[in-house]
Each structure stands twice: as C-alpha cells, then as structure tokens.
Amino acid sequence: MTESIVLFGPPGAGKGTQAGRIVELTGKPQISTGDMLRAAVKAGSPMGLAAKEYMDAGLLVSDEVIIGLIEERLQNDDAGQGVLFDGFPRTIPQAESLEEIATVSSVISIEVPDDAIVDRIVGRRMDPETGEIYHVSFKPAPTEIQDRLVQRPDDTEETVRARLGAYHTQTAPLADWYSERGLLIRIDGDASIEQVGASVEEAIASIS
Ligand code: AMP
C-alpha cells in the first residue's frame, strides 16, 4: 500500500489551482475525479452521459461509479508511489472504500467560507489548451488567450448553490472523520493564491 495525500475542501476552494504545486513538490500524480468525469462526458461514454445529469444539477455522482473510477485509475504504474486525490473522497462511504485500497497519510483541507465561494466559481474560466484555471477578477488571463477561455457548465450561480448544499450535507462530515484519525491539516483558503500556496507548501514540508 502506498502513501497518498487528499486535497479536501468545498467547490471553489482552489483545490485544482493548488494541486499543481503539490504535484511539483511531491512528484505524486494528481487524481481528480471531477476531471475524470468531465473526460468521460466529453468522450460520450454511457457512464459519462449518466454522470453528466448529476454534475449539471450540482449533485454528487454515485459512490459506486466513483469508486470504480478510482480503483481502475490506481492500477496505473504512476500510482505506485502514492497519489494526490483532488475532489475525492466526497462521502464517508467513499473514504471507507479508499481505506481498503490505499493508505492516506494526510488530508489537506482548504477552508473557505460560503460567501466567498460563489464569486470565485462564477468568475472562473479555463484555458482548454493548457488546462490553466483563471478568474475574471482574481487571476485574469493574458489578453491574447481570452477569446478561447471556457466556463464549466456547472459554474453557474444556481448550480454552485446546489454544489455547496451537497458539500455541507455529504462531504463536510469527512473533515471530522479524518480529524478523528489524526490526518487533517487545516489551511485558511480565504486568502490570495500565493498565500494559500505558501500554507500548502508549509503543510507539505510538515509531512515530508
Ligand atoms: P469537481 O471538478 O471536483 O468540482 O467535480 C465536478 C462534479 O463532478 C461534482 O459537482 C460532482 O457532480 C462530480 N464529482 C466529482 N468528484 C466526485 C466524487 N468524489 N463523488 C461524487 N461526485 C463527484
């Protein structure tokens, strides 16, 4: 069993942005269930089409589908030295299943209050060519690439509110679950990308 890290937090906390830094620091590959589901939607697979309905509504995809994706992904050779889970686990049953297949050595929780999240998500844009995430006010993209930026279909205000609801009822209880196991490292995510990045680096240094 290998030692993995979980990046935990509400939608829009900056998990995707900070994941890159953790990958650089640890060499562990990032496994984002959100990215895997979006790839399945794009490929038009039956699983992707079924998942899309839940994603568009801001609801969680079933634990069974998610655990299947993770089990398959962990078979890849690059997962041998542990991975960085981003956006997984999101329910207690997912965390229980994860215990059976991988060892989690720490959980970095990026904490952001709800009222900051809606602005963050609704202004979020992605460069489809590089995967880089920007924000119309907090991290504007260079002018020359602005025309090609895309917005995620579930990044509307209405869907964000549903995603926050799912987070509070189904995902937030995992913070206590991991805290009871002595694995939770809390980071203040209500700060600039650089400040949050510095806290993430400190957290990684404390566990390496
Ligand atoms: P994310 O990119 O992590 O915000 O995920 C986008 C959407 O994919 C979520 O709103 C859920 O519908 C779905 N999703 C991603 N990861 C999970 C997961 N671990 N469990 C259930 N649903 C997920």
Side-chain angles (χ1 to χ4, degrees):
M1 294 244 248
T2 53
E3 304 253 307
S4 293
I5 298 172
V6 171
L7 194 50
F8 182 78
K15 297 187 297 292
T17 301
Q18 299 300 337
R21 207 175 292 246
I22 303 179
V23 168
E24 269 174 35
L25 291 169
T26 63
K28 294 183 193 295
Q30 172 190 7
I31 296 186
S32 157
T33 41
D35 286 350
M36 293 168 81
L37 290 168
R38 279 184 289 278
V41 170
K42 207 169 161 192
S45 71
M47 187 275 282
L49 293 178
K52 187 177 187 309
E53 282 185 33
Y54 290 86
M55 296 165 78
D56 286 349
L59 303 174
L60 294 187
V61 172
S62 79
D63 289 336
E64 204 185 338
V65 166
I66 297 290
I67 292 158
L69 277 177
I70 290 286
E71 276 176 343
E72 201 181 315
R73 177 64 183 82
L74 289 179
Q75 307 288 321
N76 279 21
D77 288 347
D78 69 344
Q81 300 306 311
V83 302
L84 171 66
F85 292 111
D86 164 8
F88 169 85
R90 260 179 157 99
T91 64
I92 290 185
Q94 289 179 19
E96 286 170 344
S97 298
L98 179 58
E99 272 191 326
E100 314 271 309
I101 51 176
T103 306
V104 172
S105 58
S106 32
V107 178
I108 300 177
S109 170
I110 306 184
E111 314 210 324
V112 180
D114 279 11
D115 52 11
I117 286 175
V118 177
D119 284 349
R120 281 188 182 207
I121 296 194
V122 173
R124 183 156 74 175
R125 300 288 183 277
M126 197 200 36
D127 177 0
E129 286 189 17
T130 62
E132 184 80 19
I133 301 159
Y134 295 96
H135 188 280
V136 291
S137 336
F138 309 139
K139 190 185 169 189
T143 329
E144 62 274 20
I145 68 161
Q146 275 182 5
D147 286 351
R148 69 176 190 229
L149 298 184
V150 294
Q151 184 177 27
R152 270 172 49 173
D154 59 344
D155 275 355
T156 60
E157 181 160 352
E158 192 193 350
T159 312
V160 172
R161 297 208 184 274
R163 287 160 68 195
L164 273 175
Y167 174 77
H168 286 295
T169 52
Q170 293 168 275
T171 307
L174 270 177
D176 283 345
W177 197 86
Y178 278 122
S179 179
E180 283 159 17
R181 286 157 179 76
L183 297 176
L184 197 74
I185 303 174
R186 295 178 190 274
I187 283 184
D188 178 11
D190 195 14
S192 69
I193 293 172
E194 291 70 29
Q195 282 168 314
V196 179
S199 307
V200 164
E201 282 180 23
E202 259 177 55
I204 295 294
S206 76
I207 59 181
S208 327

